[in-house]
Amino acid sequence: MKNIIQVKNISFHYPDKPLLFDNLTLDVHEGEWLAIIGQNGSGKSTLARLIDGLIVLDKGQIIVDGLTVNDQNIFDIRNKIGIVFQNPEDQFVGATVEDDVAFGLENRQVEREKMHEIVKKSLMDVSMLDFRNRIPANLSGGQKQRVAIAGIVALSPKIIILDEATSMLDPRGRNEILDLVYQIKKDNQLTVISITHDIDEAANADRVVILNEGRIIDEETPENIFQNTGQLQSVGLDSPYTSQLLAALKHRGIKPQRSYLNDEELIAWIKQLISKK
Amino acid sequence: MGVIILSGVSISYFLKGIRPLIWLIIFTVLLQILFSSGGKLLWHFGPFSITDQSLINGGFIFIRFLLIIMISTVLTLTTTPLAIADGVQTVLKPLKGFHFPVDTLALMLSIALRFVPTLMDEMETIMNAQRSRGVDFGSGSLKHRVKAAVPLLVPLFTGAINHAENLSTAMEARGFTDSEHRSKYRIYRWQMKDTISWLVFLAVGVLVLGIRKW
């Protein structure tokens, strides 16, 4: 599989702070959903900002879709990457929903006629067209994140980075946003990097990377990552709901073979248990 | 008057607009009536005097105040802040020739207007949070009140800086470089209505200049 992002031996530190990344290497495959999980301060968001060239590397090299992240390429790279940030309020630039979606297009000096077409289509994609004249103060957090996604979809990037985009939403808003990004990813064959501490969000990824204090301590499929609940706990992360359920069952004398199953597997396993009795 | 009726804004809004300024209006009008000299003397007591001229002057001032308030009410009620920001940008456009950063100013204005409700909400939250911790806003001496505002203003200020930082990152990530090299999503087109209103404006203006004597 082609690597769309290559992070090669990078080092980085914030001013007056110790080295955050020391010789970090990470590949992101084209078309995958990659989840990066880790505690606060593990460097997840910093990594996203380095990939987009919002902050500058100390050492090493990052290549995005064949282009090295540097001052000359920066705008081409930002054309390929769309980031949805954590706080829905702070990334809303426009005075109304449609102005906000148009912001990125205005920056690229897209013609007005075309812009109106794209804005309409993007808002339709996130089912926010009826809200196009609303001001941000009259939208919920989830709706604002939808607008943020529309603003990115309008620019048709190859890569979407969700930088804890669901962490300030209620459970329903979170599921809606994730379903939406999943749909958009499928329709446009995008690569998604989701940065999160929500373990259930990571469970739906193709691959999970655990980042701890600037180092990658594991990269695996969610199934394999979540088998190792001890490792998750040692870096301060929760285990997924199904793992907790299995552990509780084990505690009560019912022995599962594995310590992680997804929802369907778990349901099948319980049905099987019952039918045996 | 025609403008006010055409705008379809209800009279109660105008009264609301006038209310906070009512004392200023009464004060100025009285001052004008009681202290201006000239004309036929109607009544006087010590330094105060009322003449027919001063009554007319007072009336003029009253009408002037009324008109200023009413026209500004019409503007603020019929036009969205967004449209006003765009209007400012259009009006300032000629200053571009003097290297005045019109686009930047317009962007600043539109972001500022967009964040007004956000910061209002935040102020409310901070006020309630501080109240729940025992800060008493709005009672006590002036000195006490000023002191009580500090735990409100400082968090609001740091919050605003946080907003600014996050917003600038988000703007940059979406390809913002500077406000010059951008296309514009919104456009205001000159319509028949504009021509009509300008013609009326010019006609009234000429008429006023004509009957004005000096």
Side-chain angles (χ1 to χ4, degrees), chain A residues 222-242:
Chain A
E223 288 77 26
N224 291 334
I225 286 268
F226 296 152
Q227 295 305 336
N228 197 345
T229 43
Q231 177 180 274
L232 284 175
Q233 268 153 21
S234 74
V235 296
L237 289 164
D238 236 351
S239 38
Y241 175 72
T242 51

Side-chain angles (χ1 to χ4, degrees), chain A residues 133-188:
Chain A
N133 289 319
R134 294 271 194 105
I135 59 166
N138 295 339
L139 297 174
S140 72
Q143 289 172 328
K144 277 179 220 161
Q145 290 301 59
R146 275 172 184 270
V147 175
I149 293 170
I152 282 164
V153 170
L155 305 173
S156 44
K158 284 184 146 181
I159 302 156
I160 291 184
I161 301 180
L162 304 176
D163 186 0
E164 301 191 25
T166 58
S167 68
M168 293 176 101
L169 305 181
D170 57 17
R172 197 169 137 209
R174 174 180 320 186
N175 288 336
E176 280 176 10
I177 293 295
L178 290 176
D179 288 347
L180 177 65
V181 177
Y182 186 78
Q183 195 58 44
I184 289 168
K185 173 189 182 296
K186 216 174 77 183
D187 293 346
N188 304 295

Side-chain angles (χ1 to χ4, degrees), chain B residues 22 74 152 169 211:
Chain B
I22 195 85
V74 168
L152 173 65
T169 314
I211 57 177

Side-chain angles (χ1 to χ4, degrees), chain B residues 200-212:
Chain B
V200 171
F201 179 76
L202 280 177
V204 172
V206 168
L207 209 68
V208 167
L209 280 180
I211 57 177
R212 197 168 163 167

Side-chain angles (χ1 to χ4, degrees), chain A:
Chain A
M1 215 182 304
K2 208 179 128 201
N3 290 330
I4 193 153
I5 300 177
Q6 291 167 281
V7 176
K8 286 183 181 164
N9 314 95
I10 60 159
S11 300
F12 176 76
H13 75 286
Y14 284 107
D16 308 321
K17 296 261 175 67
L19 216 56
L20 177 58
F21 296 128
D22 190 8
N23 227 2
L24 183 88
T25 299
L26 173 70
D27 289 330
V28 182
H29 312 311
E30 188 156 23
E32 77 171 338
W33 183 303
L34 177 74
I36 302 179
I37 58 175
Q39 269 186 298
N40 286 337
S42 58
K44 303 176 305 251
S45 297
T46 309
L47 190 59
R49 283 166 168 72
L50 284 169
I51 291 172
D52 203 32
L54 293 166
I55 44 181
V56 182
L57 281 174
D58 292 350
K59 253 190 279 171
Q61 193 185 27
I62 296 177
I63 299 172
V64 178
D65 198 26
L67 292 172
T68 307
V69 177
N70 59 23
D71 284 351
Q72 289 86 51
N73 289 334
I74 198 84
F75 298 111
D76 293 327
I77 283 164
R78 284 185 191 154
N79 277 337
K80 295 177 192 287
I81 303 177
I83 307 188
V84 184
F85 292 96
Q86 176 176 24
N87 190 334
E89 196 65 53
D90 286 355
Q91 52 184 318
F92 208 111
V93 190
T96 67
V97 167
E98 52 180 346
D99 286 289
D100 189 60
V101 176
F103 180 75
L105 297 166
E106 290 177 326
N107 291 336
R108 285 161 183 79
Q109 302 180 46
V110 178
E111 277 169 61
R112 189 174 303 119
E113 307 290 307
K114 222 170 146 197
M115 198 145 56
H116 279 267
E117 226 169 84
I118 299 172
V119 167
K120 197 175 160 203
K121 199 189 155 295
S122 311
L123 281 172
M124 227 136 70
D125 283 350
V126 301
S127 28
M128 286 291 287
L129 193 62
D130 295 341
F131 295 85
R132 62 180 179 277
N133 289 319
R134 294 271 194 105
I135 59 166
N138 295 339
L139 297 174
S140 72
Q143 289 172 328
K144 277 179 220 161
Q145 290 301 59
R146 275 172 184 270
V147 175
I149 293 170
I152 282 164
V153 170
L155 305 173
S156 44
K158 284 184 146 181
I159 302 156
I160 291 184
I161 301 180
L162 304 176
D163 186 0
E164 301 191 25
T166 58
S167 68
M168 293 176 101
L169 305 181
D170 57 17
R172 197 169 137 209
R174 174 180 320 186
N175 288 336
E176 280 176 10
I177 293 295
L178 290 176
D179 288 347
L180 177 65
V181 177
Y182 186 78
Q183 195 58 44
I184 289 168
K185 173 189 182 296
K186 216 174 77 183
D187 293 346
N188 304 295
Q189 281 135 22
L190 306 176
T191 309
V192 174
I193 303 176
S194 111
I195 289 168
T196 178
H197 20 216
D198 178 27
I199 214 80
D200 294 306
E201 192 174 324
N204 296 316
D206 298 318
R207 193 157 62 104
V208 178
V209 169
I210 303 183
L211 201 61
N212 192 41
E213 290 170 358
R215 281 196 311 278
I216 291 172
I217 56 172
D218 205 355
E219 48 182 308
E220 265 294 355
T221 57
E223 288 77 26
N224 291 334
I225 286 268
F226 296 152
Q227 295 305 336
N228 197 345
T229 43
Q231 177 180 274
L232 284 175
Q233 268 153 21
S234 74
V235 296
L237 289 164
D238 236 351
S239 38
Y241 175 72
T242 51
S243 292
Q244 290 177 23
L245 185 68
L246 289 170
L249 286 172
K250 201 171 169 186
H251 193 67
R252 286 166 177 75
I254 303 166
K255 294 245 157 52
Q257 297 102 329
R258 297 195 295 159
S259 56
Y260 172 76
L261 298 166
N262 63 29
D263 291 358
E264 289 87 48
E265 288 171 335
L266 183 74
I267 293 166
W269 178 69
I270 291 173
K271 276 187 184 155
Q272 198 192 338
L273 267 186
I274 296 168
S275 65
K276 263 193 215 157
K277 281 189 181 162

Side-chain angles (χ1 to χ4, degrees), chain B residues 136-151 153:
Chain B
D136 182 15
F137 297 105
S139 75
S141 65
L142 185 68
K143 195 179 155 204
H144 180 85
R145 284 196 204 192
V146 170
K147 263 190 178 161
V150 173
L153 290 178

Side-chain angles (χ1 to χ4, degrees), chain A residues 90 92 98 100 106-107, chain B residues 114 163 166 174 182-183 185:
Chain A
D90 286 355
F92 208 111
E98 52 180 346
D100 189 60
E106 290 177 326
N107 291 336
Chain B
R114 173 244 164 287
H163 283 308
N166 290 334
R174 282 163 74 183
R182 305 182 70 218
S183 52
Y185 178 70

